């Protein structure tokens, strides 16, 4: 697709409704001449990816991303706008490091969370996008100068001028078969899974912290979810399995995962933890990028297809945002838009 100043509408398919995909979609739609018609496809009930908030039996949990920090000035501008709109707030929870029952101070930094859940930002970004939920794109085929998308059982999802693949790298590989240069680059990415255990208790737990990075344990992180702004008063905790432990038990039965990680919780906190009144295990099969790309995003200007995600720019909410923004900028530059 040669550079031009043409003004006809270009159709864009964004596969993935997490932070990277929604940021890319919103950036394209924000162009003042409205040159892009964007359709977002997401296989979840609600967009947000790992920033999704889980509602279970009246309890609320940030099952994936726990908070985010800010370094990039472009992300800073976005976060400032979200704060002004009441979508995010600082989390001033008491954080520490736990190792073999010994508690030490954690790194001091400003941490932000979505309000009333981590999914608040994704819902905001999705509010001005066309999002087709519960739809998993399984095939992306090149037909002439366009891309044809198919879902399960060969369901047609339409033809598009531009495709953005904004899903975890293993899923992206399956969609980039007809963009071999990009597929080869994505193949270098390594991602491991994570088990999350969601717990609710009848009374607050007697521990002197609200979140902890856990060392030398089956756990990597524990957090009192209700210590975050806007979460309510119910005593809810999120436990994240350590990457190595989660990967070794990725196909384990949820009941066993709950038992193992509650035991690890007791050992890490050296606290007698009463029986929870709610417990559920949630598996993130593609959770933590361990080998990243050096590129902030991928784009093939000839085939007009690209990929973005936190496996490009860094395994953080900010990384996903920056990657989606960078891909949108490359698409705009490709079209001669300044």
């Amino acid at each position: 697709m040669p550079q031009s100043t043409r003004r006809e509408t270009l159709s864009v398919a964004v596969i993935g409704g997490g932070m990277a995909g929604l940021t890319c979609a919103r950036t394209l739609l924000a162009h003042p001449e409205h040159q892009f018609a964007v359709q977002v496809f997401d296989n979840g009930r609600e967009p947000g990816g790992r920033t999704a908030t889980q509602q279970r039996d009246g309890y609320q949990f940030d099952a994936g991303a726990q908070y985010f920090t800010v370094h990039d000035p472009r992300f800073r501008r976005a976060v400032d706008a979200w704060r002004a709109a009441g979508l995010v707030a600082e989390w001033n929870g008491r954080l520490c490091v736990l190792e073999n029952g010994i508690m030490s101070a954690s790194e001091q930094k400003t941490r932000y969370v979505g309000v009333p859940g981590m999914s608040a930002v994704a819902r905001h970004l999705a509010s001005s996008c066309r999002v087709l939920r519960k739809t998993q794109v399984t095939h992306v085929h090149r037909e002439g100068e366009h891309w044809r998308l198919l879902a399960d059982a060969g369901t047609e999802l339409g033809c598009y001028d531009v495709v953005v693949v904004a899903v975890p790298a293993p899923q992206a590989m399956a969609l980039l078969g007809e963009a071999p240069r990009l597929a080869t680059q994505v193949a270098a990415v390594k991602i491991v899974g994570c088990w999350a255990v969601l717990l609710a208790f009848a009374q607050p737990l007697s521990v002197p912290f609200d979140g902890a990075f856990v060392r030398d344990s089956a756990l990597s992180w524990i957090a009192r979810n209700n210590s975050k702004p806007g979460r309510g008063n119910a005593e809810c905790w999120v436990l994240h399995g350590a990457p190595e432990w989660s990967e070794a038990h990725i196909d384990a039965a949820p009941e066993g995962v709950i038992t193992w990680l509650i035991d690890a919780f007791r050992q890490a906190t050296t606290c007698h933890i009463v029986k929870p009144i709610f417990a559920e295990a949630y598996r993130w099969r593609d959770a933590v990028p361990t080998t990243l790309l050096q590129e902030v995003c991928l784009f093939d200007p000839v085939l007009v297809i690209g990929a973005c995600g936190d496996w490009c720019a860094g395994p953080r909410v900010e990384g996903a945002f920056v990657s989606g923004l960078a891909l949108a900028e490359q698409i705009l530059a490709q079209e001669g838009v300044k």
Side-chain angles (χ1 to χ4, degrees):
M1 186 182 297
Q3 290 191 1
S4 69
T5 57
R6 61 187 184 180
R7 294 294 180 263
E8 68 265 25
T9 299
L10 289 178
S11 56
V12 181
V14 176
I15 305 170
M19 178 63 73
L22 291 173
T23 298
C24 185
R26 278 288 293 254
T27 303
L28 294 176
L29 290 169
H31 184 260
E33 296 181 6
H34 302 287
Q35 189 174 346
F36 299 94
V38 181
Q39 174 67 65
V40 179
F41 298 96
D42 189 71
N43 65 1
R45 291 188 298 270
E46 295 293 336
R50 289 195 290 274
T51 64
T53 300
Q54 303 295 327
Q55 302 283 349
R56 296 287 190 270
D57 291 0
Y59 303 111
Q60 177 177 312
F61 304 92
D62 298 323
Q66 296 295 290
Y67 60 84
F68 58 89
T69 55
V70 181
H71 302 89
D72 188 282
R74 297 165 298 177
F75 190 49
R76 166 64 65 190
R77 289 192 290 271
V79 171
D80 286 346
W82 298 337
R83 290 187 69 186
L87 297 170
V88 305
E90 287 188 32
W91 178 30
N92 296 313
R94 301 164 297 167
L95 268 60
C96 69
V97 175
L98 292 176
E99 186 168 4
N100 298 318
I102 299 174
M103 186 173 67
S104 58
S106 69
E107 181 182 358
Q108 295 299 310
K109 59 177 67 175
T110 302
R111 296 174 171 90
Y112 298 92
V113 295
V115 178
M118 286 297 290
S119 60
V121 172
R123 287 200 304 270
H124 168 69
L125 294 174
S127 65
S128 61
C129 300
R130 293 169 51 202
V131 180
L132 189 59
R133 296 169 171 82
K134 299 182 181 180
T135 302
Q136 184 169 7
V137 179
T138 56
H139 295 89
V140 179
H141 294 301
R142 188 69 173 168
E143 294 189 359
E145 295 185 353
H146 304 282
W147 291 99
R148 180 178 296 278
L149 274 57
L150 301 174
D152 293 332
T155 304
E156 291 276 354
L157 297 175
C159 288
Y160 299 86
D161 300 306
V162 185
V163 171
V164 169
V165 178
V167 295
Q171 299 172 35
M173 279 287 297
L175 299 174
L176 292 169
E178 296 187 28
R181 181 176 66 82
L182 302 191
T184 298
Q185 291 175 277
V186 175
V189 177
K190 305 299 179 186
I191 297 181
V192 298
C194 177
W195 274 106
V197 168
L198 317 178
L199 303 174
F201 297 91
Q203 300 293 332
L205 299 186
S206 297
V207 293
F209 55 81
D210 299 308
F213 302 94
V214 188
R215 307 285 186 253
D216 194 22
S217 169
L219 293 165
S220 62
W221 166 261
I222 57 179
R224 193 191 316 259
N225 205 77
N226 51 299
S227 69
K228 300 175 183 178
R231 266 59 174 185
N233 296 321
E235 182 77 353
C236 296
W237 283 78
V238 175
L239 321 182
H240 279 177
E244 299 83 1
W245 187 94
S246 292
E247 197 60 15
H249 297 83
I250 200 67
D251 292 318
E255 295 79 9
V257 170
I258 291 170
T259 298
W260 287 326
L261 292 188
I262 287 179
D263 284 344
F265 191 16
R266 291 191 179 100
Q267 293 172 16
T269 60
T270 64
C271 169
H272 175 69
I273 299 172
V274 297
K275 185 177 180 180
I277 57 176
F278 172 87
E280 181 174 295
Y282 190 94
R283 179 176 60 188
W284 298 96
R285 189 170 286 277
D286 300 311
V288 183
T290 57
T291 302
L292 305 174
L293 292 186
Q294 296 300 312
E295 298 84 356
V296 71
C297 68
L298 302 177
F299 185 60
D300 188 319
V302 176
L303 296 176
V304 203
I305 186 171
C308 58
D310 62 359
W311 44 271
C312 291
R316 303 177 304 277
V317 172
E318 180 179 64
F321 174 92
V322 170
S323 183
L325 177 63
L327 182 51
E329 290 172 343
Q330 289 207 31
I331 294 169
L332 290 167
Q334 172 79 358
E335 291 305 309
V337 177
K338 298 181 179 180

